[in-house]
């Protein structure tokens, strides 16, 4: 699609709607001439060049990419009106779109009845899930894998809940045996399973976690902020297909978080939390003397901890999901491309004499490290950091990221590495653009050259 054309159409469509309300004068205090705007805008676009090329396959670093053009056009059109999805008074059209988009996400996870809403981030979505968990299981703690996102420990602190990390196995997945032993102590009321860890992209065995948790009467929340859309590959034929068991089990869990601003092609400001039991809405109960008047229908602010939220976020997601529905043959094709890119690169890395795969990728995150003469953690750390810096300095740069791993984690996977430190940074690439696949051979060659350059 031609973004320039559709951005113009978005402005025209909203102006046409505005004209129906009759003429009015913009206040002179807000008028800006095109000449002045041109100067300031030139400065802005100039300053925006100080960025990494998240759009390009040579950016194989963090979990970042621009939104789909459809999301941009949808966001802009709605943003010109600037509805607020807190209440139907603030955003009748986008409030409805949010409910529809959330129902589509719930269906993707196989949740029938549900209660849910968009949030500004995965952090806030997880906060809400843990807040509800505290209310359903008062006085009991939360367990999460040692590989879980740091937000869980932070949010437990914020909510005044005791948070306990559970050891992970040699593939970075929560160890159900260790969880069972922890839950036997009776202090834990909620278990957080991660479907796609931020560091390694590992998938906790949600089905096993659920069985263990239920045996001990615990609640289960799934943090699928990063990995959630990969459920579209569950049980699919071909190399991109994933073991369906953990993904299918999400439908039996109590809540799940997914971030459309990660793999749902959205601009930042779009997380989502979904609860299986709509009755948890009672924990959000509050009154507002200012809003909730125009309709008896549910206002999203009545089931959300946040107040103002951009209606444009819902418009962008709704439009994108209409065009690329979250089904295997829709958005799933893009996810499959990302996973194939990771698998292709893993195959090249496992043949390389200069680079070593840290562990096989489960989704689209690839972790690897340079082979060093003494095979020691200190050397790996130094070389990884140098490669990251060197990659960005090249004429045509290549962008990677680093991940800190523990010496125990390394020796479980690579017993030959000398643990002369308690951990090391290794290299990590999130291949979250399907275009990455065609670039893998070049990326591999370039990263191998970086490793050779560091080795001298
Ligand atoms: C598994 C997981 N949970 C939570 C978060 C936090 O999400 P956000 O950055 O949207 O607040 C992330 C971010 O990468 C994540 O990967």
């Amino acid at each position: 699609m031609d973004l320039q054309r559709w951005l113009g159409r978005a402005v025209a469509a909203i102006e046409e709607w505005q004209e129906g309300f009759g003429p009015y004068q913009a206040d002179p205090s807000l008028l800006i001439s095109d000449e002045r705007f041109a100067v300031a805008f030139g400065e802005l676009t100039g300053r925006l060049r100080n960025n990494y090329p998240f759009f390009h396959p040579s950016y194989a670093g963090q979990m970042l990419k621009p939104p789909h053009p459809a999301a941009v056009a949808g966001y802009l059109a709605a943003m010109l009106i600037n509805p607020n999805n807190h209440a139907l008074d603030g955003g009748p059209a986008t409030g409805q779109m949010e409910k529809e988009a959330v129902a589509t996400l719930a269906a993707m996870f196989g949740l029938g009845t549900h209660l849910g809403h968009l949030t500004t981030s995965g952090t806030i979505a997880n906060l809400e899930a843990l807040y509800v968990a505290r209310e359903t299981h008062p006085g009991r703690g939360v367990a999460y894998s040692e590989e879980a996102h740091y937000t869980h420990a932070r949010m437990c602190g914020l909510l005044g809940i005791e948070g306990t990390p559970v050891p992970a196995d040699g593939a970075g997945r929560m160890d159900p045996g260790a969880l069972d032993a922890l839950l036997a102590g009776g202090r834990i009321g909620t278990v957080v399973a991660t479907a796609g860890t931020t560091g390694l992209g590992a998938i906790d065995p949600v089905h096993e976690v659920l069985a263990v948790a239920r045996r001990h009467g615990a609640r289960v929340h799934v943090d699928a902020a990063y990995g959630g859309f990969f459920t579209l590959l569950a049980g699919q034929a071909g190399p991109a297909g994933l073991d369906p068991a953990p993904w299918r089990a999400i439908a039996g869990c109590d809540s799940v978080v997914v971030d459309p601003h990660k793999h749902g092609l959205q601009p930042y400001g779009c997380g989502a939390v979904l609860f299986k039991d709509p009755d948890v809405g009672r924990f959000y109960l509050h009154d507002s003397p200012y809003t909730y008047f125009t309709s008896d229908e549910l206002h999203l602010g009545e089931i959300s901890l946040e107040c103002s939220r951009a209606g444009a976020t819902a418009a962008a997601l709704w439009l994108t999901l209409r065009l690329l529905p979250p089904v295997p043959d829709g958005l799933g094709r893009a996810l499959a491309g990302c996973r194939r890119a990771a698998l292709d690169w893993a195959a090249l890395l496992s043949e390389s004499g200069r680079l070593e795969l840290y562990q096989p990728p489960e989704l689209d995150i690839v972790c690897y490290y340079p082979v060093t003469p003494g095979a020691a953690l200190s050397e790996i750390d130094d070389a990884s950091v140098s490669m990251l810096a060197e990659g960005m300095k090249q004429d045509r740069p290549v962008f990677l990221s680093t991940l800190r791993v523990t010496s125990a984690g390394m020796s479980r996977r690579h017993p030959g590495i000398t643990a002369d430190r308690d951990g090391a940074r290794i290299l990590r690439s999130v291949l979250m653009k399907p275009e990455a696949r065609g670039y893998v051979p070049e990326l591999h060659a370039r990263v191998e050259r970086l490793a050779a350059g560091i080795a001298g």
Side-chain angles (χ1 to χ4, degrees), residues 72-401:
V72 177
Y75 197 99
L76 177 83
M79 192 246 285
L80 291 171
I81 301 169
N82 207 18
N84 183 338
N85 273 15
H86 161 66
L88 292 170
D89 326 19
T94 50
Q96 189 54 38
M97 286 178 202
E98 177 164 336
K99 290 178 188 173
E100 291 172 25
V102 164
T104 305
L105 295 178
M108 177 176 82
F109 289 115
L111 289 169
T113 54
H114 65 274
L115 186 82
H117 59 275
L118 301 182
T119 61
T120 49
S121 66
T123 298
I124 298 299
N126 278 303
L127 168 68
E128 297 211 12
L130 295 186
Y131 159 69
V132 167
R134 186 188 71 180
E135 301 305 298
T136 59
H137 290 70
R140 292 169 74 192
V142 171
Y144 39 78
S145 152
E146 61 181 344
E147 294 281 340
H149 194 277
Y150 68 78
T151 195
H152 297 289
R154 283 188 90 197
M155 293 306 142
C156 282
L158 190 73
L159 291 164
I161 315 173
E162 188 186 3
T164 307
V166 180
D169 66 12
R173 305 171 186 148
M174 183 189 277
D175 177 348
L179 178 69
D180 198 24
L182 176 67
L183 296 196
R187 292 162 58 124
I188 303 294
T190 300
V191 182
V192 177
T194 304
T197 59
T198 317
L200 298 169
I203 304 159
D204 284 347
V206 183
H207 50 304
E208 293 173 38
V209 168
L210 182 62
V212 171
R214 291 298 189 240
R215 250 198 333 270
H216 294 279
R219 186 178 173 83
V220 180
H221 166 61
V222 182
D223 180 359
Y226 148 65
F229 285 97
F230 282 98
T231 192
L232 300 174
L233 305 183
Q236 291 297 301
L242 292 170
D243 172 9
W247 302 99
R248 302 276 185 261
I250 293 177
C253 297
D254 299 289
S255 54
V256 56
V257 157
V258 62
D259 271 1
H261 70 198
K262 294 191 169 69
H263 262 300
L265 308 172
Q266 299 307 294
Y268 283 116
C270 192
V273 61
L274 308 167
F275 297 99
K276 189 176 172 63
D277 175 11
D279 209 34
V280 299
R282 69 188 186 280
F283 299 121
Y284 286 93
L285 208 60
H286 66 286
D287 195 15
S288 161
Y290 329 100
T291 46
Y292 307 152
F293 296 126
T294 52
S295 143
D296 290 337
E297 253 189 80
L298 180 76
H299 299 264
L300 289 159
E302 292 180 283
I303 52 155
S304 163
L305 292 184
E306 293 177 90
C307 181
S308 296
R309 276 186 309 104
T313 302
L317 180 61
W318 181 88
L319 184 62
T320 310
L321 295 180
R322 278 197 59 131
L323 296 158
L324 291 166
V327 293
D329 253 1
L331 187 56
R333 291 173 52 217
L335 274 293
C338 300
R339 180 156 148 73
R340 292 293 299 274
L343 293 175
D344 288 357
W345 198 11
L348 292 175
L349 286 165
S350 55
E351 312 252 287
S352 170
R354 297 226 170 256
L355 299 164
E356 188 76 43
L357 194 59
Y358 181 67
Q359 68 170 50
E362 287 195 64
L363 297 176
D364 61 4
I365 299 178
V366 186
C367 295
Y368 50 99
Y369 59 89
V371 175
T372 58
L377 282 179
S378 55
E379 291 176 352
I380 290 171
D381 186 82
D382 289 349
S384 299
V385 171
S386 301
M387 284 174 65
L388 177 81
E390 275 307 311
M392 289 197 282
K393 277 196 221 147
Q394 318 248 309
D395 279 350
R396 269 197 321 124
V398 59
F399 302 90
L400 311 171
S401 74

Side-chain angles (χ1 to χ4, degrees), residues 26-105:
D27 192 86
S29 64
L30 300 175
L31 295 180
I32 291 167
S33 70
D34 272 346
E35 291 71 27
R36 277 189 60 220
F37 182 77
V39 173
F41 192 64
E43 203 180 322
L44 171 77
T45 50
R47 290 182 71 159
L48 287 177
R49 297 179 82 94
N50 176 23
N51 252 309
Y52 303 113
F54 308 126
F55 70 97
H56 196 274
S58 62
Y59 182 85
Q62 304 282 8
M63 216 175 265
L64 285 159
K65 66 174 175 181
H68 192 278
V72 177
Y75 197 99
L76 177 83
M79 192 246 285
L80 291 171
I81 301 169
N82 207 18
N84 183 338
N85 273 15
H86 161 66
L88 292 170
D89 326 19
T94 50
Q96 189 54 38
M97 286 178 202
E98 177 164 336
K99 290 178 188 173
E100 291 172 25
V102 164
T104 305
L105 295 178

